[in-house]
Amino acid sequence: MSEKLSYCELNAEHRAAAARHVRDIVQVAIGHTADEPALVIYDTECPLALVLADAYRAALPQAQVIEISTVDNDTVMAAFAAQPAGALVVLIQSTHFRLDAYRLRVQLFAQGLKVIEHVHLSRMVGIEAPRYIEALAYDADYYRGTGAALQARIGAAPHARLVSGSGNTLTYATRLEPAKLNVGDYRAMKNIGGQFPIGEVFTEAIDLEAVSGRADVFVFGDTTFHCNFPPQPITIVIEAGRITAVEHSTPEFDAVLAKIREVEGEVWLRELGLGLNRAFSREYTVSDIGTYERLCGVHLSLGAKHGSYNKPQFKRKDTRFHIDVFVDVGGGVWLGNDNLYHDGQWFLS
């Protein structure tokens, strides 16, 4: 790694928590037993990667384990090819493995393999690694129950509103797309696994141009895919599904918008993501935007790219950007006439 990063010490308590959470991911979320075939690929570039590798060794004592710097890419690819359908592949990556395969997880799924990915672990600097470990805790009743309930409420809602603590309101004067789940429940899915930590229900407006209003952003993904925390919330102004103005902006946020506009012409608002992971909050953060995306709260995406939903105004080859921004929803998340979010938690009774 080219830069010197500072990591906190991971002690016996952290290691025990990692072992416990990984065991639950393997056995409960993935539904894989200790005696079924498994392959674990890891690196040694940060302490968190080593702790997770040990946790998977304990959960999968029969697994083939490869430290990636000790072999060449052909050896790794051959190990993947040798796995029988139904085997589990675990990828533990301080950055992201530079293998020959394009969209490796997709290829492994096509082979009939289960996949668990941990990526960008080197970004968990300072005290963030223990937070990442805690975010791996898998409470099946909570994730599956809350996820399914939110999915149903999204499907039934005639409209939606996000109300910031300041009172700024973003209105979805339209129904929402059928929600998709990332809650560790693969029992009815063809592909088993994905990137961990998990915890999200996501959708978007059926009519993107029916979204308008104002929302306060307290974190956004910058041009290096790290979380950027502005000194005060940035207010985005949305008209007909596009950002038309920004208040209290920063040079870093302006750079994100400029990059999108340079390629796509305008800045569309697409994904409406409802995060479920209670290990993350406005106070308990991590630097990696793809990990923090699971925050128990709301994030939106800026840019025309959203591979899960096709819209007639976009050609997929022309969509380049999907930048997550996190909205202060201190005034609630309203689906129809019901506010389902209070004090940083979802309430669906």
Side-chain angles (χ1 to χ4, degrees):
M1 299 170 63
S2 59
E3 59 179 320
K4 182 67 174 177
L5 299 176
S6 176
Y7 302 107
C8 73
E9 181 181 354
L10 295 174
N11 58 32
E13 182 178 350
H14 299 137
R15 292 174 180 276
R20 184 169 63 252
H21 300 333
V22 161
R23 182 194 63 224
D24 289 343
I25 289 171
V26 169
Q27 295 181 359
V28 182
I30 303 298
H32 201 78
T33 62
D35 57 353
E36 290 183 279
L39 170 65
V40 178
I41 311 287
Y42 75 103
D43 65 43
T44 61
E45 296 180 15
C46 72
L48 181 55
L50 294 170
V51 168
L52 291 180
D54 287 343
Y56 280 102
R57 281 193 183 96
L60 299 163
Q62 304 301 318
Q64 178 185 2
V65 180
I66 298 175
E67 198 276 283
I68 197 164
S69 71
T70 65
V71 299
D72 58 24
N73 284 5
D74 289 342
T75 300
V76 177
M77 299 306 292
F80 293 146
Q83 300 303 309
L88 170 62
V89 172
V90 180
L91 306 171
I92 302 170
Q93 306 159 88
S94 294
T95 53
H96 203 292
F97 291 154
R98 293 172 176 84
L99 297 169
D100 295 334
Y102 172 68
R103 299 187 69 188
L104 178 59
R105 191 197 317 165
V106 174
Q107 293 196 19
L108 296 176
F109 281 150
Q111 191 180 326
L113 303 177
K114 306 168 186 174
V115 182
I116 296 173
E117 272 196 298
H118 300 275
V119 299
H120 302 307
L121 299 177
S122 65
R123 294 179 181 171
M124 309 305 152
V125 296
I127 61 171
E128 295 177 6
R131 294 174 183 171
Y132 182 98
I133 290 171
E134 189 55 34
L136 296 176
Y138 188 64
D139 182 338
D141 290 341
Y142 166 70
Y143 278 122
R144 296 177 181 183
T146 305
L150 275 174
Q151 185 180 49
R153 296 297 288 268
I154 288 168
H159 47 74
R161 286 182 290 140
L162 306 179
V163 183
S164 299
S166 67
N168 282 333
T169 299
L170 185 63
T171 299
Y172 290 70
T174 174
R175 299 188 70 87
L176 301 172
E177 294 280 8
K180 299 181 185 295
L181 302 181
N182 179 8
V183 295
D185 186 359
Y186 308 103
R187 292 171 296 181
M189 299 176 68
K190 177 182 177 182
N191 297 327
I192 298 175
Q195 182 177 317
F196 283 76
I198 54 90
E200 183 184 1
V201 181
F202 62 93
T203 180
E204 69 176 23
I206 287 179
D207 178 4
L208 295 177
E209 294 192 324
V211 182
S212 62
R214 303 161 66 90
D216 296 339
V217 171
F218 67 92
V219 180
F220 63 92
D222 66 17
T223 56
T224 68
F225 306 103
H226 285 72
C227 291
N228 186 290
F229 301 86
Q232 68 180 103
I234 297 169
T235 299
I236 55 175
V237 181
I238 308 296
E239 296 179 10
R242 305 157 175 88
I243 290 184
T244 57
V246 181
E247 299 172 2
H248 315 298
S249 191
T250 64
E252 294 81 6
F253 192 68
D254 290 342
V256 169
L257 298 182
K259 195 170 184 179
I260 297 172
R261 289 191 174 111
E262 180 182 3
V263 176
E264 297 182 347
E266 51 193 348
V267 182
W268 283 89
L269 194 73
R270 293 211 59 179
E271 179 180 5
L272 170 58
L274 310 182
L276 305 180
N277 200 308
R278 296 175 291 191
F280 300 134
S281 67
R282 292 185 67 167
E283 293 74 34
Y284 291 90
T285 66
V286 291
S287 298
D288 178 54
I289 195 73
T291 300
Y292 192 60
E293 181 181 4
R294 316 309 187 196
L295 159 83
C296 192
V298 172
H299 62 272
L300 310 172
S301 72
L302 307 185
K305 184 177 181 180
H306 198 311
S308 295
Y309 301 104
N310 294 322
K311 288 292 198 290
Q313 59 264 58
F314 304 120
K315 295 180 180 179
R316 183 165 295 192
K317 66 181 179 64
D318 297 329
T319 62
R320 287 272 305 280
F321 291 97
H322 181 108
I323 308 296
D324 289 322
V325 300
F326 299 80
V327 177
D328 164 21
V329 282
V333 178
W334 297 76
L335 294 178
N337 297 318
D338 298 323
N339 179 13
L340 306 181
Y341 187 84
H342 309 268
D343 300 320
Q345 300 291 331
W346 297 105
F347 292 89
L348 293 125
S349 58

